[in-house]
Amino acid sequence: MNFLAHIYLSFDDKEITLGNFFADHIRGNKFKHFPDKIQKGILLHREIDTFTDAHPTARQSSKRLHKNYSHYSRVIVDIYYDHFLAKNWSDYSDVPLDEYVENFYDLLEDNYDILPMPTKRMMPYMIADNWLLNYANLAGIDRVLNGMNRRTKNKSRMNFAILDLEEHYTEFENEFTSFFEELITFSNQKFISLCKD
């Protein structure tokens, strides 16, 4: 899953949210210096990724893209799924998306000193272009996919993936909806279990 889903699946716990958000910027076990709850957020992120990668519905979405995008397919599906979460946000939260996102940016700014360096580098762009809010529209997703393609030096051809999304929009949305219900249940169980320890 991509940024918005990981933030959402932290169940409004601020420290878990931080760890779950920046976990991709942490290698191996190099997170022991963080406060306990942030460490648990990193572990929760990894559990979510493992569950997603193995899930037949997420794999089905990825398979639809594999011919054109090879191993980048999973990354693209993560971005698509964040789009559907943002677009259908009111189905999942009583807090409007723009308010939810602003609260998250405030959380990042309040904890800037402890963020990993790659997160600190990314953060100004994320906030200035309001990535999380703009996931809700196709123009925002198109910008994300173009940015990802530039980062792969045009090898991934992810800039074309907006066309696949438009062509198979209903299938991807249905897959997201069915998968995300299961992911919420799984993540909530992991969250409870991690917070007990």
Side-chain angles (χ1 to χ4, degrees), residues 7-13 16-17 44 183-184 187-188 191:
I7 296 161
Y8 176 77
L9 294 169
S10 301
F11 306 101
D12 297 321
D13 183 297
I16 296 274
T17 300
L44 178 60
L183 182 59
I184 291 169
S187 303
N188 190 243
F191 172 86

Side-chain angles (χ1 to χ4, degrees), residues 3 5 12 16 20 27 32 40 43 63 74 82 102 112 127 131 139 151 186 196:
F3 295 129
D12 297 321
I16 296 274
N20 201 347
R27 293 283 160 256
K32 303 295 185 186
K40 287 174 176 175
L43 296 173
K63 192 175 176 188
R74 285 185 179 181
D82 253 18
E102 281 306 316
Y112 183 82
I127 295 173
W131 293 358
R151 261 172 257 152
F186 170 83
K196 261 190 214 159

Side-chain angles (χ1 to χ4, degrees), residues 1-181:
M1 301 304 290
N2 208 40
F3 295 129
L4 184 60
H6 279 292
I7 296 161
Y8 176 77
L9 294 169
S10 301
F11 306 101
D12 297 321
D13 183 297
K14 290 182 177 180
E15 289 181 294
I16 296 274
T17 300
L18 287 168
N20 201 347
F21 169 68
F22 65 60
D24 280 337
H25 293 153
I26 304 292
R27 293 283 160 256
N29 66 351
K30 296 185 174 159
F31 57 84
K32 303 295 185 186
H33 60 288
F34 288 110
D36 182 60
K37 274 277 195 78
I38 291 181
Q39 292 186 39
K40 287 174 176 175
I42 293 166
L43 296 173
L44 178 60
H45 178 110
R46 292 174 178 179
E47 293 275 9
I48 289 167
D49 281 358
T50 301
F51 180 86
T52 301
D53 288 346
H55 197 283
T57 305
R59 289 169 81 95
Q60 186 176 320
S61 291
S62 178
K63 192 175 176 188
R64 192 176 293 115
L65 298 168
H66 200 268
K67 187 174 84 165
N68 292 334
Y69 306 101
S70 185
H71 61 282
Y72 295 106
S73 302
R74 285 185 179 181
V75 178
I76 296 168
V77 169
D78 285 348
I79 294 164
Y80 287 178
Y81 280 11
D82 253 18
H83 164 64
F84 293 118
L85 174 57
K87 177 196 160 205
N88 300 300
W89 183 256
S90 61
D91 294 342
Y92 300 101
S93 176
D94 295 330
V95 180
L97 183 58
D98 56 349
E99 186 183 327
Y100 186 91
V101 164
E102 281 306 316
N103 290 340
F104 173 69
Y105 295 153
D106 288 346
L107 178 68
L108 287 187
E109 286 167 348
D110 291 346
N111 292 276
Y112 183 82
D113 290 347
I114 64 167
L115 299 177
M117 191 49 69
T119 311
K120 287 179 177 175
R121 283 197 293 266
M122 177 183 77
M123 190 178 131
Y125 302 101
M126 178 182 223
I127 295 173
D129 293 334
N130 208 345
W131 293 358
L132 299 176
L133 187 64
N134 284 316
Y135 283 157
N137 59 68
L138 288 176
I141 292 299
D142 191 30
R143 276 196 297 278
V144 171
L145 291 166
N146 272 282
M148 297 291 283
N149 183 58
R150 281 194 300 277
R151 261 172 257 152
T152 66
K153 299 187 168 55
N154 303 319
K155 287 181 196 149
S156 66
R157 301 178 72 252
M158 285 167 76
N159 53 313
F160 293 108
I162 193 70
L163 302 176
D164 301 81
L165 176 58
E166 290 169 340
E167 184 180 351
H168 302 286
Y169 197 86
T170 304
E171 294 99 312
F172 283 122
E173 185 163 24
N174 289 341
E175 285 158 5
F176 163 77
T177 304
S178 116
F179 163 71
F180 201 61
E181 286 303 321

